[in-house]
């Protein structure tokens, strides 16, 4: 962020879109980082100078072989921002490492890969859901 009077200027890089640039203030932040975890999330909520809201979801990886991601949306009001945050599906962030065509994999191997992927999706949703609860609590208290 860059300073500019009482508001800060933010520029959030996004996947497959132009960066989201705005001036405003951060209302709240929650992060799920735990030392040694393979990945973690950071959620930020901002109010822009024109009284809109920005929701940013960043997904970080411990491994240098993985690319960190950021998604951000501008919403007209606070309730739309909260709806956007609650609708975010962290399962979409789970990487699939099995060959989708299943070449060379037996049915039991495909089933094992599907179960592994399902468990990873559930874990990502649980981690992200805890953060959503944390930031909603922080915003309601502040």
């Amino acid at each position: 962020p860059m300073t500019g009077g009482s508001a800060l200027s933010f520029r959030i890089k996004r996947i497959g879109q132009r960066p989201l640039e705005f001036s405003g203030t951060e209302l709240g932040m929650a992060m799920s980082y735990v030392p040694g975890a393979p990945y973690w999330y950071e959620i930020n909520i901002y109010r822009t100078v024109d009284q809109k809201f920005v929701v940013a979801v960043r997904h970080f990886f411990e491994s240098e072989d993985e690319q960190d991601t950021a998604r951000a949306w501008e919403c007209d009001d606070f309730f739309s921002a909260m709806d956007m945050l609650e609708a975010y599906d962290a399962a979409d962030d789970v990487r699939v490492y099995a060959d989708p065509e299943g070449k060379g994999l037996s049915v039991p191997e495909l089933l094992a890969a599907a179960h592994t992927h399902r468990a990873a999706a559930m874990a990502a949703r649980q981690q992200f859901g805890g953060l959503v609860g944390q930031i909603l609590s922080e915003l309601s208290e502040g």
Side-chain angles (χ1 to χ4, degrees), residues 44-119:
N44 304 83
I45 308 291
Y46 307 89
R47 179 180 295 145
T48 67
V49 292
D50 57 354
Q51 301 305 306
K52 292 188 178 186
F53 293 84
V54 171
V55 175
V57 175
R58 294 175 177 90
H59 188 210
F60 297 99
F61 293 91
E62 185 70 30
S63 171
E64 302 256 335
D65 295 333
E66 296 280 2
Q67 182 178 350
D68 298 338
T69 61
R71 292 181 173 86
W73 304 270
E74 186 175 63
C75 304
D76 290 333
D77 57 52
F78 182 74
F79 296 108
S80 298
M82 294 305 98
D83 288 345
M84 180 66 70
L85 189 58
E86 290 175 339
Y88 186 88
D89 190 355
D92 292 340
D93 296 324
V94 174
R95 305 293 202 264
V96 177
Y97 296 104
D99 180 356
E101 295 180 22
K103 293 180 182 175
L105 294 179
S106 67
V107 170
E109 289 170 322
L110 285 171
L111 287 173
H115 286 294
T116 299
H117 181 73
R118 182 173 171 208

Side-chain angles (χ1 to χ4, degrees), residues 8 10 22 24-30 42-47 58 138-139:
L8 296 176
F10 295 91
F22 61 95
T25 56
E26 184 178 74
L27 298 178
M29 187 274 276
E42 179 180 304
I43 298 171
N44 304 83
I45 308 291
Y46 307 89
R47 179 180 295 145
R58 294 175 177 90
E138 178 183 318
L139 291 173

Side-chain angles (χ1 to χ4, degrees), residues 5 32 35:
S32 64

